[in-house]
Amino acid sequence: MQKEWQQGRSVFRKPGRSLIILILLILCLIISGCSRKEKETPADTGTGSDPGSLVIGFSQLGSESAWRLGNTESMEQAAKEHGFRLIVENGMQKQENQIAAIRSFIAYRVDVIVFAPIVEDGWANVLQEAKEAGIPVIMMDRLINIKDSDLYTAYIGPDHYQEGVNAAKYLLKKADELEEDMSENDRIHIVELSGTEGSSPMISRFQGFHDLIDRDDRFEVLETVSGDFLRSKGRECMQKLLKKYPDEIDVLYSHNDAMTLGAIEVMEEEGIEPGKDIVIISVDGEQAAVDLLKEGRINCVVECSPMLGDAVMDLAQAIVSGEDYPRISRPEESCFTEYDDLSSLGPRGY
Ligand code: GYE
């Protein structure tokens, strides 16, 4: 009887244990299923998700200059230090590649999208898609031209208009010196190598410079040509300009160091002494340009820092954590000229 009871009990106990295990298993599945679903819901990948494990999709516009390479490196380094996963897509200088990259980040449901827009126009649709997916977008380095500014969350980058102003301010000072060697009706002839057509640094560096220079009749801008921020095109453009204006160019204003370096190569091949025969003003501040400034082969380097990585990661974290953050932030920048003491200027890092 006892045996039967024991048997009965054991018969009864076996399914009981399996039932508990089964229930526990189902509970585990439900819990893990729920938490995965939470992570995968686009609306939840933005504010409120775990800031310690951010996945950031970064659409870089290309690798056209030392500035750009320094910028990509700064982003990668900062992401590593913050413990974030950074997915980098190189747009190779094409807007359509950048749009495709942003779409892939939306499909992947990253926590934050960062992009450096190659040009100002044409982003509304893809940004609308990111907004609908609930993914915050940080615009870095360059600005865009858009009616609905709610389509991006924040902007972080240099003040390119101010850079144009800084270039002009240096030239206004230099002009007093140049005037001494000029006859009465002579003017200071400038050629300008501008950046990528339709890009915000090209537009703003042009504007900032012209707002000061055009109202001063000591100056005449002979021509502005786009060298697309590339060293090779800077070379090409300078060759053409020297052919067209063999003895007239007094000043070169170049929107980035890469084009400046290409232009200087051509001048030296033609027996022209850069920094003396032609005054050189460049923007960026990469190591090679600062070295030439110290040697007297460039007269002025307007700083534009690509080291934005840390600030971008902090911003991404603040946005996702729901903390207050500045909608627009700009790093401090300087301007190095032949009139400054450059002996304490440290390595540039790009
Ligand atoms: O000056 C240039 C780069 O957008 C500020 O892009 C950036 C510019 C930089 O190609 O070297």
Side-chain angles (χ1 to χ4, degrees), residues 178 223 290:
L178 293 176
E223 203 166 325
V290 169

Side-chain angles (χ1 to χ4, degrees), residues 56-349:
I56 299 181
F58 172 37
S59 165
Q60 179 58 288
L61 65 88
S63 33
E64 73 284 1
S65 61
W67 191 101
R68 189 67 48 201
L69 300 179
N71 178 246
T72 306
E73 216 179 289
S74 159
M75 288 287 287
E76 284 169 342
Q77 184 67 26
K80 215 174 179 186
E81 281 163 16
H82 280 70
F84 298 163
R85 189 172 152 225
L86 189 73
I87 308 167
V88 186
E89 287 290 341
N90 186 332
M92 312 293 281
Q93 247 67 40
K94 287 201 166 64
Q95 184 175 32
E96 60 265 34
N97 292 345
Q98 286 203 275
I99 291 175
I102 295 172
R103 291 215 163 102
S104 77
F105 297 148
I106 296 170
Y108 194 76
R109 292 172 182 173
V110 296
D111 295 303
V112 177
I113 292 172
V114 181
F115 83 123
I118 180 145
V119 287
E120 285 194 343
D121 292 327
W123 302 98
N125 290 345
V126 74
L127 292 184
Q128 183 63 39
E129 291 164 32
K131 189 179 176 184
E132 278 161 17
I135 302 176
V137 174
I138 298 175
M139 223 156 54
M140 188 204 50
D141 161 28
R142 299 185 180 181
L143 277 162
I144 58 171
N145 184 13
I146 207 155
K147 275 200 198 103
D148 178 3
S149 62
D150 278 356
L151 287 184
Y152 62 86
T153 315
Y155 166 74
I156 181 160
D159 185 340
H160 303 307
Y161 179 84
Q162 186 58 44
E163 290 160 1
V165 168
N166 290 347
K169 278 187 176 164
Y170 158 76
L171 187 55
L172 289 171
K173 186 169 175 186
K174 182 75 178 175
D176 298 335
E177 202 184 295
L178 293 176
E179 264 184 324
E180 288 168 16
D181 302 327
M182 279 165 44
S183 54
E184 213 173 297
N185 290 324
D186 215 0
R187 299 177 84 189
I188 298 168
H189 295 124
I190 305 167
V191 291
E192 179 175 11
L193 286 180
S194 64
T196 304
E197 296 276 7
S199 70
S200 73
M202 180 262 167
I203 294 166
S204 303
R205 285 173 186 169
F206 174 92
Q207 208 51 56
F209 184 77
H210 283 261
D211 279 354
L212 294 193
I213 295 300
D214 291 359
R215 61 178 188 219
D216 187 327
D217 56 15
R218 288 177 296 173
F219 302 108
E220 182 184 347
V221 179
L222 295 172
E223 203 166 325
T224 301
V225 279
S226 171
D228 211 7
F229 286 129
L230 293 167
R231 184 176 180 140
S232 57
K233 287 212 183 149
R235 254 195 83 89
E236 252 172 58
C237 293
M238 200 63 222
Q239 266 160 349
K240 286 186 187 148
L241 289 166
L242 282 175
K243 232 181 222 151
K244 201 162 164 190
Y245 311 101
D247 301 309
E248 292 141 271
I249 304 172
D250 300 307
V251 178
L252 166 70
Y253 167 45
S254 162
H255 288 197
N256 88 340
D257 290 341
M259 295 187 295
T260 310
L261 297 176
I264 284 179
E265 252 170 37
V266 176
M267 288 180 200
E268 288 180 337
E269 284 161 17
E270 298 289 324
I272 295 168
E273 252 195 277
K276 298 206 167 54
D277 299 332
I278 297 181
V279 171
I280 315 269
I281 307 170
S282 189
V283 187
D284 272 359
E286 67 174 77
Q287 190 63 54
V290 169
D291 290 345
L292 290 181
L293 173 68
K294 287 181 176 172
E295 290 167 21
R297 292 198 278 160
I298 290 183
N299 307 73
C300 168
V301 174
V302 177
E303 185 188 30
C304 172
S305 175
M307 305 307 191
L308 302 170
D310 257 334
V312 170
M313 299 306 150
D314 288 345
L315 184 60
Q317 181 141 42
I319 292 169
V320 172
S321 317
E323 290 161 22
D324 285 344
Y325 60 87
R327 194 168 140 76
I328 297 201
S329 24
R330 300 192 183 275
E332 261 193 38
E333 293 180 317
S334 175
C335 182
F336 315 116
T337 79
E338 59 182 322
Y339 302 122
D340 303 322
D341 173 14
L342 302 167
S343 56
S344 59
L345 196 60
R348 304 293 298 151

Side-chain angles (χ1 to χ4, degrees), residues 9-66:
R9 206 172 133 210
S10 69
V11 166
F12 178 76
R13 276 176 68 196
K14 263 190 189 156
R17 243 188 237 137
S18 350
L19 198 65
I20 290 166
I21 291 169
L22 192 69
I23 290 169
L24 282 174
L25 258 172
I26 291 171
L27 273 174
C28 280
L29 280 174
I30 291 172
I31 290 165
S32 71
C34 283
S35 62
R36 179 162 309 138
K37 209 171 157 210
E38 253 170 39
K39 267 213 130 172
E40 283 177 4
T41 303
D44 287 343
T45 53
T47 42
S49 66
D50 176 10
S53 60
L54 291 191
V55 177
I56 299 181
F58 172 37
S59 165
Q60 179 58 288
L61 65 88
S63 33
E64 73 284 1
S65 61

